[in-house]
């Protein structure tokens, strides 16, 4: 199927919203169309700029309706060791996700910690494992949960979570579908993070290169003013920076633009007869 035919097969925005709001189980044709739509949206993150929050909310909504779940949520690592609730399909799902973070227990946290899926057919059997989360989830009408890691090789960056009001597990085909969607989203997020890190590294490298130019200019100023070799000028520059708790590039810039005088750096090097 070529790109035009793929797009033609997708539902319009209005049709998509009707499918979301109806809450009814999808027909086979609707399910195939929605699945295609989900993968096209996720594939776009690999080739174009995108709004990560919007994409993740779309992913959760697609999974909830493709798998006839009651609610869904998604937690993502903030790259500083913490987790944040990034997307959810309902206020109840948001509340359950936030509660797990506050209570430091629950299937979603166990999923992120282990990097493995946590599949619970009956939450009433897990009260001892999650004494705070399980009773709350049950009281909100949920009976089962599927937490699937967002993982690429050994790196787990979050978890995609589906809550259902009936007991039982998803069949193998549906589990493969959830994993495939989660994996595709993970690749897109990691690519975006890598690009961002690359941009930071590039900026840092350019800053270092610019600093090196200024330092060379400052060495020239000092060498000329003090009749020094370039290596001696560099040692004078570095000594002044260290002795005053300053950055080398900052001192060099001030010397080049005239905010510091060469004598300010050279006087300590002069002998008593020169003072």
């Amino acid at each position: 199927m070529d790109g035009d035919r793929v797009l033609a097969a997708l539902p319009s925005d209005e049709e998509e919203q009707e499918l979301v709001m109806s809450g009814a189980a999808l027909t086979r044709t609707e399910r195939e169309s929605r699945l295609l739509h989900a993968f096209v949206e996720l594939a776009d993150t690999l080739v174009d700029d995108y709004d990560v929050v919007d994409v993740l909310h779309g992913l959760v909504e697609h999974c909830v309706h493709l798998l006839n779940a009651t609610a869904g949520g998604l937690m993502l690592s903030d790259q500083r060791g913490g987790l944040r609730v990034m997307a959810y399909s309902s206020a109840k799902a948001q509340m359950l996700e936030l509660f797990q973070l506050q209570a430091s227990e629950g299937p979603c946290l166990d999923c992120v910690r282990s990097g493995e899926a946590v599949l619970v057919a009956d939450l009433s059997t897990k009260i001892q494992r999650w004494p705070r989360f399980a009773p709350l989830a049950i009281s909100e009408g949920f009976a089962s949960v599927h937490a699937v890691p967002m993982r690429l090789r050994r790196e787990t960056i979050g978890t995609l979570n589906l809550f259902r009001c009936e007991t039982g597990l998803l069949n193998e085909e549906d589990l493969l579908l959830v994993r495939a969607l989660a994996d595709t989203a993970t690749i897109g997020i990691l690519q975006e993070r890598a690009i961002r890190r690359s941009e930071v590294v590039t900026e840092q490298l350019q800053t270092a290169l610019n600093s090196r130019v200024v330092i060379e200019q400052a060495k020239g100023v000092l060498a000329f003013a003090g009749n020094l070799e370039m290596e001696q000028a560099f040692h004078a520059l570095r000594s002044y920076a260290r002795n005053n708790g300053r950055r080398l590039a900052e001192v060099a810039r001030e010397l080049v633009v005239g905010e510091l005088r060469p004598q300010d750096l050279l006087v300590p090097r002069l002998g008593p007869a020169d003072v």
Side-chain angles (χ1 to χ4, degrees):
M1 181 179 290
D2 59 31
D4 291 340
R5 292 175 63 191
V6 167
L7 293 175
L10 300 180
S12 66
D13 291 341
E14 291 77 11
E15 293 169 336
E16 181 74 14
Q17 188 63 24
E18 288 177 4
L19 292 177
V20 171
M21 298 301 294
S22 68
L26 302 177
T27 66
R28 184 175 183 84
T29 299
E30 290 171 341
R31 194 170 192 265
E32 290 176 351
S33 178
R34 187 175 190 113
L35 180 58
L36 182 60
H37 197 165
F39 275 112
V40 168
E41 287 180 358
L42 292 174
D44 283 344
T45 67
L46 303 177
V47 297
D48 198 6
D49 191 21
Y50 69 99
D51 182 337
V52 65
V53 175
D54 183 56
V55 168
L56 294 180
H57 271 283
L59 171 62
V60 170
E61 289 181 351
H62 284 309
C63 287
V64 166
H65 290 278
L66 281 167
L67 303 167
N68 199 30
T70 308
L74 189 148
M75 293 183 185
L76 206 60
S77 165
D78 62 7
Q79 296 183 282
R80 291 186 295 273
L83 287 171
R84 295 181 180 273
V85 178
M86 294 295 295
Y88 42 86
S89 65
S90 67
K92 281 188 177 182
Q94 180 191 22
M95 181 269 293
L96 285 179
E97 298 286 62
L98 290 172
F99 183 81
Q100 290 182 81
L101 295 179
Q102 294 169 355
S104 296
E105 69 169 49
C108 308
L109 295 188
D110 286 359
C111 177
V112 173
R113 290 164 180 163
S114 67
E116 301 293 335
V118 177
L119 311 176
V120 180
D122 187 349
L123 275 169
S124 66
T125 67
K126 300 298 179 180
I127 293 177
Q128 185 172 358
R129 181 176 179 180
W130 304 308
R132 300 177 64 188
F133 169 79
L136 176 63
I138 293 169
S139 71
E140 294 295 331
F142 298 109
S144 60
V145 62
H146 298 72
V148 177
M150 298 185 68
R151 184 184 64 191
L152 181 62
R153 299 183 181 90
R154 295 183 179 181
E155 183 173 4
T156 301
I157 65 168
T159 174
L160 175 60
N161 316 302
L162 297 176
F163 303 95
R164 307 177 81 190
C165 58
E166 65 272 3
T167 58
L169 296 178
L170 296 173
N171 60 43
E172 190 63 29
E173 179 181 341
D174 285 346
L175 278 176
L176 287 174
L177 187 155
V178 175
R179 290 179 187 273
L181 288 169
D183 289 348
T184 305
T186 301
I187 292 170
I189 292 168
L190 287 176
Q191 174 181 261
E192 190 267 343
R193 287 183 175 181
I195 291 171
R196 201 169 346 119
R197 284 196 295 265
S198 176
E199 289 174 348
V200 170
V201 170
T202 300
E203 182 179 347
Q204 290 172 338
L205 177 59
Q206 187 59 52
T207 299
L209 291 173
N210 293 341
S211 297
R212 185 74 251 180
V213 171
V214 174
I215 290 169
E216 291 299 322
Q217 291 172 341
K219 283 166 57 179
V221 172
L222 280 180
F224 178 78
N227 193 25
L228 304 174
E229 297 291 337
M230 293 294 280
E231 185 176 350
Q232 293 175 311
F234 178 70
H235 284 306
L237 185 66
R238 186 169 61 175
S239 295
Y240 181 89
R242 288 182 174 180
N243 292 337
N244 290 276
R246 305 282 303 282
R247 290 182 178 274
L248 185 62
E250 183 181 348
V251 172
R253 183 194 63 79
E254 291 180 3
L255 183 63
V256 169
V257 300
E259 294 177 10
L260 275 175
R261 301 176 303 164
Q263 291 82 353
D264 296 331
L265 283 71
L266 295 174
V267 166
R269 299 181 57 86
L270 301 177
D274 298 305
V275 177

